[in-house]
Amino acid sequence: MSLLSPRDLCRLGCTGSYWRAAVRDPLLWRRFLLRDLPSWAAVDWKSLPSAEVLKQVLSEAGGSALCDYMAVYKKSCPQSRRSLKSSRPRYGAVTSFLQSLVTQAEPRFAMFGPGLEELDDSLVQKMMTCPEILLVAGLPQRRIHGIGSGVSFQFNNNQKFNILTLYSTTSVERRRARAEQAVVVNKMFYQDNSTVGNQQAVHYNVIAQVKKVCEVVDGFIYVANAEAHKKHDREEELAHILAMIDPALGPRNRPLLVLSCVSHVGVKRIPCVYMAHQLQLNLLHQPWMVQDTVAATLDGLLNGLEWLLEEADCKNPQSNA
């Protein structure tokens, strides 16, 4: 049975009660999880295995029958996510016709994160110069001084959307820090120290210009540095994410897309499931997805944007009216 694919194994389990019981062997499905989980390119708030299950899978003694590894696999694998997505009703032709009659505001997304600045290849530059993958539909009329600017793109279904890219500091300061191999001071956030009980809790707030952006966007894109050979402070990254998605700045159900990004194909990456746990995305209260992305080729980007546009449309009361 270990030589079969998980899909074929499930089919075998449908042939009779004996095989239905046999194919549920936890050792078998733990083996599949260990083998396949690092290669899965996306995971979301519905499909992420819990930290306890993940530790049990990776543990030497993880083959006990205490965990239904088959159920974990079926919940988390890409095939299940695609089948859930394909079960949604599609109204593409009707939607495009209605959009031609009614002028709607473009969805707006704030994009930020260390993957915008730390990688050898620039994700934003590639997005701006690959019309065969993502078409630039409009350049910004004005800039948010010293922080970023918005660019309109057109998705492959002709839907337009706007991405406002937020950088930690100015381009001159980023280039200087890169040349000197120095740490860039993130000017988007400021620390707010407060005392909870006997412990001092550290969290961040966004500066006034960024606050205005957070109040008007329909969702967020966080570009994480997924290169395994680099050091990462995921706790601080989570604190920055929480500052951006603060419910005081807008609806708490706005979706968050995490682009788990590496510079190019040959770079060893942190698997997206591990990235989700490192960032503790299970603590968030809105829909989120982690999508493996390659800056040099934009691999994975369209899958992430498609999810984000669908989620933003679902959360928009005007589009559902």
Side-chain angles (χ1 to χ4, degrees):
M1 289 192 294
S2 65
L3 300 177
L4 297 176
S5 69
R7 180 186 295 270
D8 289 337
L9 201 63
C10 291
R11 289 171 177 166
L12 177 62
C14 295
T15 60
S17 58
Y18 170 79
W19 288 112
R20 185 164 55 248
V23 301
R24 299 189 68 89
D25 182 356
L27 283 173
L28 189 63
W29 288 96
R30 174 176 175 265
R31 177 177 177 176
F32 286 147
L33 277 168
L34 284 170
R35 183 194 67 188
D36 297 344
L37 185 145
S39 66
W40 290 341
V43 68
D44 62 20
W45 58 299
K46 296 179 180 178
S47 61
L48 179 69
S50 69
E52 292 74 19
V53 168
L54 198 59
K55 289 177 182 178
Q56 195 170 347
V57 170
L58 299 174
S59 170
E60 291 292 335
S64 67
L66 296 177
C67 183
D68 187 351
Y69 295 116
M70 180 179 178
V72 174
Y73 190 103
K74 292 173 70 174
K75 172 188 172 184
S76 307
C77 69
Q79 292 82 358
S80 295
R81 293 185 63 253
R82 282 196 292 267
S83 64
L84 288 173
K85 178 182 174 183
S86 63
S87 65
R88 294 180 180 177
R90 294 185 177 272
Y91 307 111
V94 177
T95 302
S96 61
F97 172 71
L98 293 176
Q99 286 178 344
S100 68
L101 300 177
V102 181
T103 302
Q104 295 182 342
E106 297 177 3
R108 291 170 291 188
F109 305 109
M111 183 163 70
F112 66 107
L116 292 174
E117 305 172 23
E118 297 176 355
L119 301 179
D120 295 332
D121 293 274
S122 170
L123 177 68
V124 174
Q125 183 178 0
K126 195 68 177 179
M127 291 170 63
M128 297 286 292
T129 56
C130 283
E132 69 279 6
I133 298 177
L134 195 62
L135 185 65
V136 176
L139 295 175
Q141 300 300 315
R142 62 185 181 87
R143 293 180 61 87
I144 298 179
H145 51 133
I147 299 176
S149 58
V151 177
S152 292
F153 295 95
Q154 185 169 312
F155 202 63
N156 55 14
N157 62 356
N158 294 324
Q159 181 175 2
K160 292 183 179 179
F161 59 96
N162 187 278
I163 292 181
L164 206 153
T165 306
L166 303 172
Y167 295 102
S168 63
T169 185
T170 63
S171 58
V172 174
E173 291 171 310
R174 293 197 305 272
R175 283 196 297 269
R176 184 186 302 123
R178 195 173 182 85
E180 298 174 357
Q181 295 184 345
V183 177
V184 177
V185 178
N186 197 322
K187 295 183 178 180
M188 287 174 51
F189 306 93
Y190 63 92
Q191 233 178 58
D192 180 17
N193 297 331
S194 57
T195 303
V196 178
N198 296 325
Q199 295 183 342
Q200 190 176 47
V202 178
H203 69 277
Y204 291 91
N205 289 322
V206 295
I207 62 175
Q209 298 97 317
V210 176
K211 180 180 178 182
K212 293 178 181 178
V213 173
C214 294
E215 290 173 343
V216 299
V217 295
D218 302 292
F220 302 89
I221 303 173
Y222 183 76
V223 186
N225 185 341
E227 295 184 346
H229 66 280
K230 294 183 178 178
K231 293 183 179 180
H232 311 283
D233 188 346
R234 301 301 188 198
E235 289 188 6
E236 184 171 90
E237 290 184 53
L238 173 62
H240 288 169
I241 292 173
L242 292 174
M244 291 288 290
I245 65 175
D246 187 344
L249 303 180
R252 66 166 57 241
N253 62 352
R254 291 180 292 180
L256 168 70
L257 169 64
V258 177
L259 297 177
S260 185
C261 205
V262 296
S263 296
H264 48 84
V265 176
V267 178
K268 185 177 180 181
R269 68 160 59 251
I270 298 168
C272 64
V273 173
Y274 302 154
M275 176 66 74
H277 279 295
Q278 288 179 10
L279 290 173
Q280 301 181 68
L281 298 180
N282 58 300
L283 299 178
L284 306 186
H285 298 290
Q286 67 257 63
W288 57 263
M289 184 177 86
V290 181
Q291 172 67 53
D292 284 351
T293 311
V294 181
T297 61
L298 298 185
D299 287 350
L301 176 66
L302 293 186
N303 293 333
L305 291 176
E306 183 179 20
W307 174 88
L308 184 63
L309 288 167
E310 287 181 354
E311 287 294 331
D313 185 60
C314 291
K315 306 304 176 189
N316 185 351
Q318 293 181 352
S319 68
N320 296 330

